[in-house]
Amino acid sequence: MEDLIKKVAGHIAAAKHLVALTGAGISVESGIPPFRGKGGLWEKFDPMEVGHIQSFMRNPEKVWRLLISEMRDVLVSAKPNAGHLGLARLEELGILKTVITQNVDGLHQMAGSRDVVEFHGNFAWLRCMDCGSREQTVDIDLSQMPPKCGCGGIYRHECVFFGEMIPPKELDRSQIAASTCDLMLVVGCSAVVQPAAFMPVIAKQSGAMVIEINPEPTPLTGTTSTILVKGKAGKAMREITAEVERIIAAKRQQ
Ligand code: NAD
Ligand code: ZN
């Protein structure tokens, strides 16, 4: 494992344009459950059903209650972990250019990452479905369900529900990042939610190397990605970032 960390750190230190794609797995060590896998929300209900735009349109109250009971408290109190901090540090070092995230938790920005593409939007903001006015999730009055705007319209989160399109600007920026990188790090991403899972394929087709960090193999493993660091994002990123810093310091001394 130590050798693998060194090898990955070597690739990162040598990269000219690193891009990261992150999924729910990077935020697990911050206490936010993923959808799939052990402890995932899938064990309690099917997020594909609850998180589908048609379920929301049919019964906004039910979806609001589930989203809030399952997500709001954890999202409000969660703090970035070594995985987010490591990526922010790689950006500070001038290696990492863009983080494409499937997450809606805002933890990359909180960790200090500046160029973040929120592929699935975020949970921090709400939008009135009638007049379009925006409100922060933390400021909203939850005594009525679903919460409503002054105009009478229902609020929804500014995140992408299953069954909805990825906003064109985010899709565009992600595709550009994926096709211009020379190395893509795919962290905590099950690689089954499309079109996010296609970004590493674009990177590979454009000549980049793809490296994954995940406790489990994914459909990308061994086909699109050439290296899988099998483990938790926080621990792996802490070790990798420390090794990258060491390589850079050694280069400076030469
Ligand atoms: P997923 O829930 O489908 O899969 C999570 C992946 O993370 C799995 O491959 C799992 O093996 C891996 N994983 C688990 N623990 C890990 C750890 N400690 N370190 C590294 N990897 C770990 O996640 P997904 O692929 O991101 O797709 C689900 C969608 O649901 C996302 O696109 C996102 O929009 C949404 N979601 C977001 C959050 C969040 O904002 N934190 C949380 C849950 C779901
Ligand atoms: Zn309104």
Side-chain angles (χ1 to χ4, degrees), residues 30-172:
S30 294
I32 304 176
F35 279 174
R36 298 173 182 80
K38 233 176 130 223
L41 294 181
W42 223 280
E43 286 174 356
K44 296 190 210 161
F45 56 82
D46 182 353
M48 284 277 215
E49 195 210 312
V50 175
H52 201 284
I53 187 62
Q54 279 171 7
S55 311
F56 186 78
M57 298 309 269
R58 252 197 319 267
N59 193 344
E61 181 181 344
K62 179 182 164 198
V63 174
W64 254 103
R65 286 193 192 283
L66 275 172
L67 280 174
I68 284 183
S69 61
E70 295 295 336
M71 298 290 269
R72 191 175 120 125
D73 291 348
V74 269
L75 282 178
V76 166
S77 56
K79 298 274 174 298
N81 65 57
H84 307 97
L85 294 168
L87 293 179
R89 180 69 185 133
L90 293 178
E91 183 179 336
E92 210 170 49
L93 290 169
I95 302 169
L96 187 139
K97 308 297 182 200
T98 304
V99 176
I100 306 166
T101 189
Q102 294 176 255
N103 298 339
V104 294
D105 55 30
L107 292 182
H108 286 297
Q109 293 91 327
M110 214 188 280
S113 285
R114 278 160 303 198
D115 194 15
V116 181
V117 181
E118 289 182 309
F119 207 78
H120 292 156
N122 68 68
F123 210 76
W125 287 90
L126 302 171
R127 192 174 66 237
C128 168
M129 290 173 72
D130 284 354
C131 74
S133 83
R134 296 170 81 233
E135 215 36 82
Q136 290 212 45
T137 305
V138 283
D139 294 338
I140 212 76
D141 170 20
L142 298 176
S143 58
Q144 60 166 353
M145 269 299 154
K148 287 192 182 140
C149 166
C151 83
I154 293 173
Y155 277 122
R156 60 160 290 170
H157 285 94
E158 286 207 325
C159 52
V160 178
F161 282 86
F162 288 112
E164 288 192 300
M165 302 281 285
I166 304 298
K169 188 169 143 244
E170 275 66 30
L171 187 58
D172 212 41

